[in-house]
Amino acid sequence: MQEENFGPLDVRKLKEIIQEESARLGLRSYSSEGESAFTLSLALTAAVKKIFFEKSATTFSAEPIIERNLVTQFVQKMRVDAMEKFNSTTVFSALQFALNEQGLERQEYLVTLVVYLEQKFLPEFLRLLKYSYIDSDDEAEVKDGCGTLVNLIAGQYKREMANLGYKDLMMSHFDSFINTAPDGIGIPKGTTEKYEISFEVEGTKRLVVEMLTTAILPAVQDNKKWK
């Protein structure tokens, strides 16, 4: 997805990208939930690219790769084996969006975000974003550092969703883990698929962001969102 000026998402161009990429990903018709979820994955891609560009004045070494994968369910949560992403010790942080505080308390999630990085690379990644140094051998520092990153991405993601006409959603606190989440990760009820976005730094995959959604999000004006 090209986002050269890093301004608000151009809805017309976004629709063109959706129509082109939906065929590649095997999504259903344009009005379906499948493509609605893909639209939100594009907004997430734009959010990550903007953060990286604005804080470090650099770009990723290749266009992000978006894949649609099945969710491994675990008692109505998502089972995670983070070492599948990098084949080395991996830190990851998750947070959820809901309509309001009550929705978060009832675990009525609309969107879940998960951010993954190799534990050994996290300090360098945060340095690129101009954050203070952390010790990659200190588990508490590593978890907090990854949580800082998912909060940063989620905040920009909320702005991108607003640009698309969606209402402001309430964001949960982050939870961070090393390699696996023993009790699984909370996801929107009934979600069976996820969008996985991989980002390269200097030719190597360094960051993976997953998004899970019901694809039925409240819009400020539902009948005008795509007009």
Side-chain angles (χ1 to χ4, degrees):
M1 177 182 174
Q2 300 294 333
E3 192 70 21
E4 296 175 355
N5 61 3
F6 294 92
L9 285 175
D10 184 317
V11 174
R12 180 183 59 79
K13 290 182 180 179
L14 182 60
K15 289 175 68 175
E16 292 175 358
I17 294 171
I18 293 168
Q19 291 169 339
E20 292 172 0
E21 289 293 295
S22 62
R24 180 179 69 83
L25 292 171
L27 301 179
R28 298 181 290 275
S29 64
Y30 179 68
S31 61
S32 74
E33 292 181 14
E35 289 203 23
S36 297
F38 179 62
T39 300
L40 294 172
S41 76
L42 288 176
L44 178 56
T45 302
V48 175
K49 292 176 71 175
K50 287 179 182 180
I51 290 168
F52 196 88
F53 178 80
E54 291 172 359
K55 284 189 169 289
S56 66
T58 59
T59 58
F60 289 105
S61 54
E63 281 297 300
I65 298 173
I66 302 176
E67 297 179 298
R68 187 176 57 144
N69 296 316
L70 293 176
V71 172
T72 302
Q73 294 278 353
F74 176 69
V75 192
Q76 298 185 340
K77 292 186 177 182
M78 181 174 70
R79 185 188 297 276
V80 176
D81 180 358
M83 289 184 67
E84 293 178 346
K85 310 297 185 192
F86 296 104
N87 197 31
S88 65
T89 301
T90 301
V91 57
F92 63 102
S93 297
L95 57 73
Q96 293 82 19
F97 292 93
L99 187 59
N100 47 42
E101 189 68 38
Q102 292 72 30
L104 289 178
E105 292 175 358
R106 294 192 293 266
Q107 299 185 2
E108 296 172 349
Y109 304 134
L110 298 176
V111 178
T112 294
L113 295 186
V114 191
V115 171
Y116 304 82
L117 299 97
E118 288 180 282
Q119 182 170 331
K120 63 184 179 182
F121 181 72
L122 178 59
E124 175 64 14
F125 197 90
L126 291 176
R127 186 192 65 80
L128 291 173
L129 296 175
K130 304 188 186 311
Y131 281 94
S132 301
Y133 173 80
I134 67 170
D135 183 354
S136 63
D137 293 325
D138 187 316
E139 184 172 308
E141 285 193 17
V142 166
K143 288 182 176 180
D144 284 344
C146 193
T148 296
L149 183 58
V150 76
N151 273 338
L152 187 64
I153 291 172
Q156 182 64 42
Y157 187 43
K158 287 180 65 173
R159 290 187 282 275
E160 298 301 334
M161 287 193 288
N163 289 337
L164 292 174
Y166 291 110
K167 289 182 178 179
D168 189 37
L169 299 179
M170 183 68 66
M171 190 170 76
S172 73
H173 296 294
F174 68 82
D175 290 308
S176 295
F177 308 90
I178 303 294
N179 291 336
T180 188
D183 297 325
I185 290 176
I187 60 176
K189 185 177 180 180
T191 303
T192 59
E193 297 179 338
K194 60 184 177 182
Y195 283 85
E196 182 176 312
I197 311 167
S198 300
F199 299 85
E200 289 187 1
V201 177
E202 297 181 351
T204 302
K205 183 177 74 170
R206 293 298 191 188
L207 174 69
V208 175
V209 182
E210 288 181 338
M211 183 213 67
L212 301 90
T213 181
T214 61
I216 307 173
L217 301 187
V220 175
Q221 292 178 300
D222 290 322
N223 62 337
K224 295 182 178 180
K225 185 171 56 176
W226 291 107
K227 294 183 179 180

